[in-house]
Amino acid sequence: NGVKGKLNSKYSSVHKLFKYCIIGIFCSVFIAVFKEKQPFIISIMTIIPCVIPYILYFLLFKNKIDYRTLERYILLISLLSIGVVCLTFATIPDPLFGEVSLELNRGGWRLRLHCYYYIVFALFFFTNQYTIKHKTKHLIAAVICYLFIIPSLGRVMLLTSLCITFWIFLQNTSFFRKVVTLGVILIFGLLVVPQTSIYKNMSEITTSQRERNEDEDDIRKQDYQYFLFDSQKSISDVLFGHGKASYGNSDFGKREEKRISETYIIQADTGWPGLFYDFGLIHTLSLLLLTILGIMMRTEKEFIYVRYFIILLAVNNLTGGSLFYPQTSFLISVCMYLIIISNYRLKMAHKVCLQKITH
């Protein structure tokens, strides 16, 4: 209880930001009810999946979950996620999970699943373990994890996860090893990668998008313009958002479905602006500050990968829904809990060392 009390006092700012995230979501309910005329019960039911990830953070602290046990559970989910990818592949064209589409311009079947971020979590974990323990099994596990991210065929996901993986890999290596590794990566990136079909297809997509954007507005620019400016008609819209629409279950949901079908402007395609549109400034700013705090907090070497994982979530949420969907947003709660525990342990170890020196 003493340790729990110290954690609550030392990290009260983090606790408050999580509370503001929850408050922001509940405030949006009243906008959905009184402004968008969505029934109260339906509005509450719609936001429950969005609130649960943030409540999880407080449950972890209340029950004092062992950080090692929590880490193992997430890795278990990562392993199950790999199984989900396999089963989805095996059941194409009628997938058992998620959605699939044949996108020849990207290089093949694209599997749209919410479980990729768990696999990325495992990728960063095993990469970090390899830099600390230098065991081949960790390197092999990391490579396998990345291979199972490729079916997402998401350019930002594949690029950011690969870049951060290499950065973690170089954290605990000598200067000579860093130079050699960067040299190998440079040669591989210049000579091998451009010859692969996936790279060629991705490059063609990027080039065609650039050419198309010369004649018409980029769809993501349209998304940002609409969610950040065009849709903000009052101060209540800015502070509390428009509320979470229940598609097919309310007039508000039907209006949103019609807007999406006509404009193709979707909240999940932009992440941060999408959250701002649904839940307003209170929630979105609190969540953004949480990610910044998580990135800035010092951790032990074995948990540094968690900070990099938050960087990936924050960056990917600029062009996608890494923090928009409840299935992945609860990872912020898990990561912040792990970071706080590691940061506290680091401070206590430093305090003990100082006491030994002074005595």
Side-chain angles (χ1 to χ4, degrees), residues 342-355:
S342 180
N343 182 265
Y344 180 77
R345 282 164 49 86
L346 199 64
K347 287 180 177 179
M348 290 300 100
H350 182 65
K351 187 177 180 180
V352 170
C353 288
L354 286 176
Q355 289 175 346

Side-chain angles (χ1 to χ4, degrees), residues 123 126-127 138-150:
L123 167 66
F126 287 119
T127 303
H138 292 135
L139 182 61
I140 294 172
V143 172
I144 291 173
C145 286
Y146 189 78
L147 291 176
F148 278 95
I149 298 169
I150 293 176

Side-chain angles (χ1 to χ4, degrees), residues 247-282:
Y247 299 123
N249 298 313
S250 67
D251 290 338
F252 179 33
K254 291 174 183 176
R255 288 197 302 273
E256 283 292 281
E257 285 181 311
K258 183 180 179 182
R259 175 186 63 76
I260 291 171
S261 65
E262 291 175 353
T263 64
Y264 298 101
I265 295 176
I266 306 170
Q267 290 94 313
D269 282 351
T270 55
W272 292 112
L275 286 170
F276 177 64
Y277 176 80
D278 278 356
F279 303 128
L281 186 64
I282 295 174

Side-chain angles (χ1 to χ4, degrees), residues 106-330:
R106 289 180 183 262
W109 287 97
R110 186 180 189 185
L111 278 58
R112 299 177 184 275
L113 301 165
H114 293 301
C115 63
Y116 288 117
Y117 286 102
Y118 299 98
I119 303 175
V120 175
F121 184 94
L123 167 66
F124 290 177
F125 169 81
F126 287 119
T127 303
N128 195 55
Q129 287 293 301
Y130 177 75
T131 65
I132 296 171
K133 300 177 181 178
H134 302 292
K135 291 185 177 180
T136 307
K137 65 178 183 179
H138 292 135
L139 182 61
I140 294 172
V143 172
I144 291 173
C145 286
Y146 189 78
L147 291 176
F148 278 95
I149 298 169
I150 293 176
S152 70
L153 294 182
R155 287 165 294 172
V156 177
M157 163 81 81
L158 293 173
L159 182 61
T160 53
S161 59
L162 186 62
C163 290
I164 294 175
T165 296
F166 280 122
W167 184 255
I168 296 172
F169 181 78
L170 296 174
Q171 287 300 294
N172 299 316
T173 57
S174 64
F175 178 76
F176 174 75
R177 197 168 181 177
K178 286 180 180 178
V179 172
V180 172
T181 304
L182 287 172
V184 171
I185 293 171
L186 188 62
I187 294 171
F188 184 77
L190 292 175
L191 300 180
V192 180
V193 173
Q195 304 305 317
T196 62
S197 60
I198 290 180
Y199 176 85
K200 290 177 180 178
N201 290 325
M202 294 294 187
S203 296
E204 288 176 5
I205 291 174
T206 303
T207 302
S208 63
Q209 284 182 345
R210 281 204 197 101
E211 293 173 352
R212 192 166 62 249
N213 292 342
E214 292 177 0
D215 301 319
E216 58 185 56
D217 287 339
D218 182 5
I219 186 62
R220 286 238 156 67
K221 289 181 182 177
Q222 293 179 35
D223 291 347
Y224 271 69
Q225 178 66 32
Y226 179 77
F227 291 133
L228 294 179
F229 303 105
D230 296 347
S231 63
Q232 307 304 321
K233 306 297 184 182
S234 65
I235 188 66
S236 63
D237 291 343
V238 174
L239 292 176
F240 311 121
H242 293 74
K244 191 78 170 173
S246 181
Y247 299 123
N249 298 313
S250 67
D251 290 338
F252 179 33
K254 291 174 183 176
R255 288 197 302 273
E256 283 292 281
E257 285 181 311
K258 183 180 179 182
R259 175 186 63 76
I260 291 171
S261 65
E262 291 175 353
T263 64
Y264 298 101
I265 295 176
I266 306 170
Q267 290 94 313
D269 282 351
T270 55
W272 292 112
L275 286 170
F276 177 64
Y277 176 80
D278 278 356
F279 303 128
L281 186 64
I282 295 174
H283 171 83
T284 308
L285 183 60
S286 299
L287 183 57
L288 178 61
L289 290 174
L290 271 176
T291 61
I292 293 172
L293 279 177
I295 292 166
M296 292 178 63
M297 278 189 195
R298 290 181 62 231
T299 58
E300 300 158 297
K301 284 184 178 179
E302 57 189 316
F303 285 101
I304 196 171
Y305 77 94
V306 183
R307 290 165 55 199
Y308 289 118
F309 183 72
I310 291 182
I311 292 175
L312 178 129
L313 288 177
V315 171
N316 284 15
N317 207 47
L318 291 169
T319 58
S322 60
L323 292 173
F324 185 83
Y325 295 108
Q327 296 92 327
T328 53
S329 62
F330 101 94

Side-chain angles (χ1 to χ4, degrees), residues 29-63:
V29 170
F30 295 99
I31 303 299
V33 172
F34 294 110
K35 191 172 182 179
E36 303 296 344
K37 308 303 179 184
Q38 182 168 261
F40 180 76
I41 298 299
I42 291 177
S43 298
I44 288 291
M45 294 297 292
T46 306
I47 60 103
I48 284 177
C50 304
V51 172
I52 289 175
Y54 302 104
I55 294 177
L56 174 68
Y57 171 81
F58 295 103
L59 292 176
L60 290 172
F61 268 98
K62 183 178 180 179
N63 295 285

Side-chain angles (χ1 to χ4, degrees), residues 79-91:
L79 179 62
L80 293 174
S81 297
I82 290 176
V84 167
V85 175
C86 291
L87 287 172
T88 304
F89 249 126
T91 53

